[in-house]
Amino acid sequence: MKRIVCAIMTVLLCAATMSAQGSYKPTPEIIKAQKEFQDKKFGIFIHWGIYSMLGQGEWVMQNRNIDYREYQKLASGFYPSLFDADEWVEAIKSSGAKYITITSRHHDGFSMWNTGQSDYNIVKATPFKCDVLRELADACERADLGLHFYYSHLDWGRPDYPIGRTGRGTHRPTDQMNWQHYRAFMDAQLTELLTGYGKIGAIWFDGVWDHEEDATPFDWQLSSQYELIHKLQPSCLVANNHHLPPFEGEDVQIFERDLPGENKAGYSGENGISSLPLETCETMSRAWGYNITDSVFKSTRQLIHLLVRAAGRNANLLLNVAPQPNGKLPEVAVQRLHEMGEWLKTYGETIYETRGGFVAPHDWGVTTQKGNRLFVHVLNCADRALFVPTGNRAIKSARLFSNGKSVKFTKSEAGITLLFDTVPTDIDYVVELTMKQ
C-alpha cells in the first residue's frame, strides 16, 4: 500500500510542478549550450565538504543521526591544507573530461564558498579561510574546462527548511520551518553563484525526492527558480536529479547510477528517456563522498566501458571522484583518470561530438555516430564474427579505427557481419563503418 501511495504522490508532484510552469521554450542560447554539452560527453563529479572529515560518505549526518549543532562544529576543524585547484584541474584535464560538477552545498547545508547568506561556509566558519569555488573557477577558466555547480534543495541543518523524509534525526526545531524564508535563501545563494564565479555551464539540483512522501504534494516552485537561473546566465543549463521525468524548464535529464533505459540502481523506474540531453552520474568507487573504508575502485576497463556505453546511449558520463579531507584527490583516482585520458587520446574521436548510433545497444557493445561514420564499439565478443544490424543501410567500407586496417564483412538484408582476424580482446575494439550518403 505504501508503494502505491508513493507512486500516486509522485505523479501528483510531477503534474503540479509542470502545470505551474506552463510551456518552456529553450532560447537559442540554451539550445546552443545543450549541443555543446552533448558534444563534451565526459565530466567529473566532485563530492567534497566537511563530511569528508568523518570518512563515512556525504550522508553521514543523516545515517548517524548527528545533532545539527554538533555536526556544525566540524567546520572549525576543516583545514584542507593540500588543496590545489590547479592540480585538480590538471588531473581532470588529463582524463579527457571536459567539465567539472562540484558540490557547492550538499544536504548537510555547509556552503563551499564565501556566501553572504550564512556564516556557515568555508571562509567564515573554518580556519582554512579560502573560497575553494573561487579558486576552482579561476583554475577552470585558465584551463578552458567547464564548471557546473551541484546545489541541494534540502538542508538537514537549517531550521527554516520544511522537514522531509530525511534528516529527521538531526534534532532541528520544528517550530521554525518557513518555506518562503528558505526559498529566498536558496535564490540568494544561486544568485551569488551565477554572478560571482564566471561562466557556469549548469546548475545540478538534488533533493526534490525529500518530500515525495508528503500527505499533499509539496510545491517547490521550481518554475520561478529555473527562470532566475536562465535570467542570470542565459546559457546556463538546468538539471535536476529528482528521479522523475523532466519538468518544464529543465535542459538536461539525469540518470543516477544507471545508463538511460536501465534501472539497476532503482532510481530510474519512472524516468523514461526524454529528448533532452542525457547524463549518467556514477561513482569511481562505491561512495560519492570520501569514505575511508571504501577501497573498491572500478578498473580502468570498467570505467572506459561505462563511458562508451553512455555515449552509445546518447548520454554524457559524469564520473564521481571524492577528494580526501586534506584536499588531495585519491591517488588511485588520479591514476584511473590518467589511464582514461590515455585511451581517449586514441579513441576520443569516436566519443566526443558523437551521438548514439542508429544501431541500438547490444550485449556485445554499442555504436556512436558522426554523420555517415558509424563507430562500432565491440566491448564483449567471444567470436571472430559479429553481426551488426545495420538494416538496409549501404555500408561503403569497414576499418579498424586504431590503425586503419580494413575489416572484411558480408552483407544480408538485416545488416552486415564483421569478420575479424582474431577474437577481439581490446578494452574497446572499434570498427569504423562508412555509409554511402
Side-chain angles (χ1 to χ4, degrees), residues 295-309:
S295 59
V296 181
F297 281 72
K298 295 176 180 66
S299 68
T300 302
R301 185 185 190 93
Q302 288 175 311
L303 294 174
I304 290 172
H305 281 196
L306 186 59
L307 173 62
V308 172
R309 290 187 185 280

Side-chain angles (χ1 to χ4, degrees), residues 192-367:
E192 290 178 347
L193 292 172
L194 290 168
T195 58
Y197 292 83
K199 182 178 179 180
I200 304 304
I203 296 295
W204 204 102
F205 286 116
D206 193 18
V208 162
W209 35 260
D210 195 43
H211 281 277
E212 65 186 4
E213 296 180 5
D214 287 10
T216 56
F218 187 87
D219 185 4
W220 287 95
Q221 300 174 309
L222 296 177
S223 177
S224 57
Q225 196 165 63
Y226 293 172
E227 289 173 2
L228 172 67
I229 292 167
H230 289 140
K231 179 180 179 181
L232 293 172
Q233 288 207 25
S235 63
C236 183
L237 304 175
V238 172
N240 200 323
N241 187 37
H242 43 52
H243 308 149
L244 295 168
F247 297 159
E248 292 279 346
E250 294 172 4
D251 308 302
V252 175
Q253 183 178 7
I254 298 168
F255 295 84
E256 181 177 351
R257 292 189 182 272
D258 272 311
L259 295 169
E262 297 181 347
N263 189 33
K264 296 176 182 178
Y267 299 124
S268 304
E270 301 174 57
N271 281 22
I273 300 176
S274 74
S275 60
L276 294 178
L278 312 176
E279 182 183 67
T280 285
C281 60
E282 180 56 285
T283 56
M284 184 179 286
S285 55
R286 289 179 295 188
W288 296 102
Y290 178 69
N291 189 318
I292 198 169
T293 61
D294 182 10
S295 59
V296 181
F297 281 72
K298 295 176 180 66
S299 68
T300 302
R301 185 185 190 93
Q302 288 175 311
L303 294 174
I304 290 172
H305 281 196
L306 186 59
L307 173 62
V308 172
R309 290 187 185 280
R313 288 166 173 76
N314 209 34
N316 288 18
L317 172 64
L318 184 61
L319 181 63
N320 187 74
V321 175
Q324 298 164 171
N326 62 9
K328 295 286 286 187
L329 300 180
E331 185 176 342
V332 63
V334 173
Q335 181 64 25
R336 294 288 192 276
L337 293 176
H338 174 74
E339 290 168 354
M340 292 183 76
E342 288 300 301
W343 183 85
L344 281 165
K345 285 179 181 178
T346 299
Y347 295 101
E349 188 179 351
T350 72
I351 301 296
Y352 302 128
E353 299 179 15
T354 66
R355 297 295 182 266
F358 68 85
V359 176
H362 286 72
D363 289 341
W364 53 257
V366 298
T367 62

Side-chain angles (χ1 to χ4, degrees), residues 52 83 86 103 154 194 287 300 307 376 380-381 402 426-427:
S52 66
F83 169 72
D86 288 306
T103 50
L154 67 90
L194 290 168
T300 302
L307 173 62
V376 181
N380 176 33
C381 181
S402 60
D426 295 1
I427 288 178

Side-chain angles (χ1 to χ4, degrees), residues 9 11 45 120 147 149 176 288-289 305 317 341 366 371 390 401 411 420:
M9 295 307 300
V11 172
F45 214 172
Y120 190 44
L147 180 62
F149 287 141
Q176 298 179 36
W288 296 102
H305 281 196
L317 172 64
V366 298
T390 54
F401 183 81
K411 300 180 181 179
F420 307 128

